[in-house]
Amino acid sequence: MLQALYDGKIEAFRKQFLKLHPYDRAKFYVEQSPEVRKRMYEYLSPAEMAEIFDHLDIEEDEYKIYLSEMDPLFVAQMLAHMYADNAADVLNELDKKEVANYLTIMDDEAAKDIQGLLHYKEYTAGSIMTTEYIAIHANQTVRSAMQILKREAANAETIYYLYVVNEQRQLVGVLSLRELLTSDDDVMICDVMNDRVVSVFVDEDQEEVARKMQNYDFLALPVVDMNNHLLGIITVDDIVDVISEEATDDYSKLAGVPDVDIQYTP
Ligand code: ATP
Ligand code: MG
């Protein structure tokens, strides 16, 4: 694969590289020299690079280095293709001016999604949630909810739960994919949804979110504000990261060693 990259054999490189799991692509990417990485930017699209960045687990200053190697427009397009929560994480490592710059050249919808996530305090539910969830209404049929699911599935972080909201976008119910698929087409969503929804507040501590996720065994939890407006979701894969971070913290304290950042395999 490296040989193809060195020799400038674009198609051969792409064919081998894109077969890898995004996590393995990310691993490969960080192991390369700046020169080789620059070649990768030329051979891959912003969407393909976005998949790599969605799977990177690196230090703050490394984000700065990688981004500075790319053309700003390419960076903006890549960020727009990333999940909004991950893109916000990356931008939170940069200077305000740089952030503003990327957001200006990005397409409006993606910029709005990311911007909305930039202001949440670290270690809160808001800081780890994503806005790419599937929302439906109580007064629609299973058939029409299925159409929404089909339309939104490609962009949603998880399709396993559909969240039911009212006109004010307040959270009123939840339905699993399994429940949707096993319901008759003409049934109303309000008749099959669960209306006792477990949610977390946007400013709740991420450890508390992890605890709830473990206790209830859900694959995702909805995040709401004080007035029960649905703001986003947190998926279990983001919680796995929280749990390993907290474990490192606690272990370091216990062992009486300084709180060093251990490189984790996510
Ligand atoms: P089961 O395991 O019972 O077959 P499932 O596989 O459809 O259910 P699970 O992920 O196991 O889905 O969720 C269990 C149940 O919890 C489902 O009925 C789902 O609608 C419901 N549920 C999902 N998220 C929430 C939530 N945040 N609050 C309350 N209920 C929820
Ligand atoms: Mg289940």
Side-chain angles (χ1 to χ4, degrees):
M1 189 156 57
L2 259 179
Q3 201 54 45
L5 198 53
Y6 288 138
D7 295 346
K9 297 206 172 93
I10 304 185
E11 280 318 312
F13 165 71
R14 289 178 51 81
K15 205 172 153 203
Q16 294 170 45
F17 185 69
L18 295 174
K19 260 191 215 147
L20 299 177
H21 184 278
Y23 171 68
D24 293 319
R25 285 182 229 159
K27 232 170 47 181
F28 176 86
Y29 169 76
V30 298
E31 282 163 4
Q32 304 312 312
S33 67
E35 289 69 38
V36 175
R37 283 200 298 268
K38 276 181 196 151
R39 235 168 225 230
M40 291 178 68
Y41 307 139
E42 284 169 35
Y43 296 176
L44 298 169
S45 69
E48 286 158 356
M49 276 311 297
E51 267 194 284
I52 293 180
F53 269 69
D54 270 326
H55 286 83
L56 278 188
D57 183 27
I58 54 176
E59 298 297 319
E60 302 163 15
D61 37 329
E62 287 172 310
Y63 279 118
K64 282 192 194 157
I65 296 169
Y66 295 152
L67 296 190
S68 70
E69 294 169 351
M70 300 178 213
D71 177 74
L73 184 61
F74 188 92
V75 174
Q77 289 170 342
M78 176 184 84
L79 291 166
H81 276 102
M82 288 174 68
Y83 285 109
D85 56 335
N86 295 340
D89 286 347
V90 173
L91 288 176
N92 270 327
E93 310 298 350
L94 309 181
D95 310 326
K96 286 212 166 65
K97 220 174 124 191
E98 274 180 292
V99 175
N101 195 14
Y102 288 135
L103 290 176
T104 321
I105 51 181
M106 192 179 297
D107 84 68
D108 286 349
E109 203 175 319
K112 221 175 70 197
D113 272 355
I114 296 170
Q115 215 151 13
L117 293 173
L118 283 177
H119 308 295
Y120 294 110
K121 275 223 285 299
E122 227 182 336
Y123 308 120
T124 61
S127 76
I128 55 170
M129 72 179 183
T130 191
T131 46
E132 285 117 341
Y133 55 81
I134 297 176
I136 55 173
H137 290 291
N139 59 357
Q140 65 185 141
T141 59
V142 165
R143 182 185 293 105
S144 84
M146 202 78 98
Q147 281 164 0
I148 293 182
L149 175 71
K150 234 179 165 166
R151 202 178 61 212
E152 311 268 321
N155 288 319
E157 174 137 354
T158 177
I159 59 165
Y160 202 66
Y161 300 126
L162 296 91
Y163 296 99
V164 187
V165 295
N166 64 17
E167 292 304 320
Q168 287 79 45
R169 235 186 153 69
Q170 282 162 318
L171 181 61
V172 295
V174 60
L175 193 68
S176 75
L177 180 59
R178 188 204 303 272
E179 289 162 335
L180 185 77
L181 291 176
T182 52
S183 301
D184 287 334
D185 281 348
D186 295 315
V187 171
M188 299 303 281
I189 292 298
C190 56
D191 293 326
V192 283
M193 71 183 194
N194 306 291
D195 53 12
R196 297 177 55 130
V197 190
V198 179
S199 60
V200 293
F201 287 118
V202 68
D203 52 6
E204 213 162 319
D205 193 281
Q206 62 178 17
E207 267 190 87
E208 183 54 35
V209 181
R211 211 165 298 137
K212 265 192 188 160
M213 191 91 77
Q214 281 178 314
N215 289 343
Y216 287 95
D217 273 337
F218 295 138
L219 300 172
L221 274 175
V223 181
V224 296
D225 66 13
M226 294 302 278
N227 297 313
N228 200 34
H229 294 112
L230 182 57
L231 300 177
I233 58 165
I234 297 173
T235 52
V236 69
D237 47 316
D238 292 320
I239 284 303
V240 172
D241 295 342
V242 170
I243 294 171
S244 69
E245 264 173 47
E246 307 281 354
T248 317
D249 280 3
D250 293 347
Y251 182 77
S252 301
K253 273 179 212 143
L254 207 66
V257 296
D259 194 4
V260 287
D261 250 315
I262 293 176
Q263 279 293 327
Y264 262 95
T265 313

